[in-house]
Amino acid sequence: MKAKLAYRLRPLLACLIVVVFTGVAFAESEPLRVFVSVLPQKTIVEKIGGAHTDVRSMVRPGYSPHTYDPTPRQIAALSKTDLYVRSGVPFEHAWMARIRSANPDMQILDPRSGMDQRLMKHGAHGDDGEEAGRDDNVDRHHGGTSSEGRDPHIWTSPLLVVQMAANIRDKLTELDPAHAQDYARNYDAFAAELEALDRDIRLLVRDLPNRSFMVFHPAWGYFADTYGLIQVPIEKEGKEPGARALAALIEQAKRQDVKAIFVQPQFSAQSAEQVARAIGGRVVHIDPLSADYADNLRAVAQQIAEAAQE
Ligand code: ZN
């Protein structure tokens, strides 16, 4: 008797399931389509947006944000994009106008707004000076130093990422108010994660006898500023140093008792290897553009700490 009833109810049940699923499909809107400039930002937006966002990075893994050219397919994908989150990396200077015109309806967020940005010596990011002048006339007309530009590598400091994340949360909320609670909750969890990361890094580098670290490309300025370290760049005007500059760097490395030279995969390690050979040190690979944001930054702090204690 029971089995017979269940059998009769089966079509009804099937209808019910269809109705419920259709309801879910209608209630759950399409995810916001977001483009970012570099991979760490993809991770940051996904932390806040979760399943409500579909995030892609313009600069793909292994490419340099200094020289990147978006593919025609990426430019075409912008026509279906709701939000572009820029970061001020050098390829944007050449491409931002085209990115904007690919989809005039797309919103563009600069998550650095309202933040103190450190300056970077001209050359390290060739045209940042121009960018600063173009973006913000104050720099040009009120005595801004034209030989320096803003350092775009803000994400290397977790506490600054907390601020960037708040700007991203606010923008996602504005574009998709139905999920405001999720964005707020995700932001709170992510901020707590970043604060824990900051505490871990502080502990790792607190008592280091040697506060200087030598890098090829100076991508770690915010990291160094936050944790009381000194970043010594090898790169000169965005290029490998000449013989005389290299000799001076080797002297400096010896004087400062440097044991490791840090390089990143997007740049040549050639002059770093020369310095390392001359001082009997080693070349260490770290990556400011890793998508695995928190674990990578923790590992970088660990490697800087190890090199300083050798
Ligand atoms: Zn860079």
Side-chain angles (χ1 to χ4, degrees):
M1 189 65 190
K2 242 185 198 166
K4 210 169 184 184
L5 185 65
Y7 185 74
R8 268 196 220 144
L9 281 177
R10 207 179 275 172
L12 192 67
L13 202 64
C15 282
L16 201 66
I17 287 168
V18 168
V19 168
V20 167
F21 272 89
T22 317
V24 167
F26 274 111
E28 194 51 52
S29 50
E30 286 271 292
L32 282 175
R33 289 171 202 260
V34 185
F35 250 103
V36 298
S37 283
V38 291
L39 281 168
Q41 283 184 308
K42 178 176 188 286
T43 307
I44 295 165
V45 175
E46 283 171 345
K47 283 281 184 182
I48 301 157
H52 307 314
T53 48
D54 173 4
V55 192
R56 299 183 206 188
S57 173
M58 199 52 100
V59 179
R60 288 166 294 152
Y63 288 83
S64 168
H66 292 252
T67 51
Y68 190 74
D69 286 326
T71 65
R73 187 185 263 186
Q74 285 181 308
I75 294 296
L78 291 171
S79 68
K80 294 198 187 90
T81 298
D82 301 297
L83 172 66
Y84 192 99
V85 182
R86 59 177 304 185
S87 63
V89 289
F91 93 90
E92 290 177 7
H93 309 319
W95 281 91
M96 222 43 228
R98 265 174 284 184
I99 288 172
R100 218 174 248 129
S101 64
N103 179 359
D105 295 330
M106 176 176 71
Q107 297 238 1
I108 296 178
L109 172 69
D110 188 338
R112 302 172 295 171
S113 62
M115 295 175 53
D116 281 339
Q117 289 169 57
R118 69 192 297 282
L119 294 174
M120 204 170 193
K121 286 246 160 24
H122 184 69
H125 281 77
D127 39 12
D128 268 13
E130 283 167 44
E131 162 76 1
R134 212 182 301 153
D135 258 15
D136 177 4
N137 288 329
V138 168
D139 283 1
R140 189 172 287 165
H141 300 301
H142 299 279
T145 45
S146 60
S147 64
E148 287 180 313
R150 295 181 208 150
D151 183 343
H153 311 92
I154 293 180
W155 61 88
T156 61
S157 174
L159 294 184
L160 294 176
V161 173
V162 175
Q163 292 181 47
M164 272 173 57
N167 289 335
I168 291 165
R169 174 203 57 200
D170 293 347
K171 183 50 97 180
L172 295 181
T173 304
E174 178 194 317
L175 292 174
D176 177 27
H179 295 118
Q181 282 195 338
D182 290 345
Y183 298 138
R185 200 181 312 123
N186 292 346
Y187 166 79
D188 289 344
F190 185 41
E193 202 182 304
L194 291 166
E195 279 152 18
L197 173 63
D198 173 70
R199 281 193 298 274
D200 290 352
I201 297 173
R202 259 172 226 287
L203 271 179
L204 278 167
V205 303
R206 192 178 55 192
D207 300 319
L208 295 184
N210 189 351
R211 313 296 304 172
S212 301
F213 64 103
M214 198 171 256
V215 293
F216 179 74
H217 178 64
W220 303 94
Y222 291 95
F223 181 88
D225 287 357
T226 304
Y227 301 111
L229 299 166
I230 301 153
Q231 166 183 254
V232 183
I234 289 181
E235 182 189 277
K236 293 276 182 275
E237 319 247 319
K239 298 189 209 83
E240 303 267 348
R244 192 184 296 175
L246 198 65
L249 282 164
I250 290 167
E251 278 317 301
Q252 186 179 0
K254 285 181 182 161
R255 234 185 5 256
Q256 295 180 328
D257 205 21
V258 166
K259 295 286 167 33
I261 318 290
F262 296 93
V263 294
Q264 66 181 84
Q266 300 81 9
F267 292 90
S268 157
Q270 196 191 317
S271 44
E273 275 156 10
Q274 278 174 279
V275 177
R277 259 199 306 279
I279 63 169
R282 60 198 171 93
V283 170
V284 181
H285 295 260
I286 53 179
D287 189 2
L289 293 163
S290 170
D292 185 5
Y293 178 72
D295 288 342
N296 178 61
L297 213 56
R298 207 176 262 113
V300 166
Q302 184 84 48
Q303 276 161 314
I304 288 174
E306 273 169 24
Q309 287 164 323
E310 271 167 30

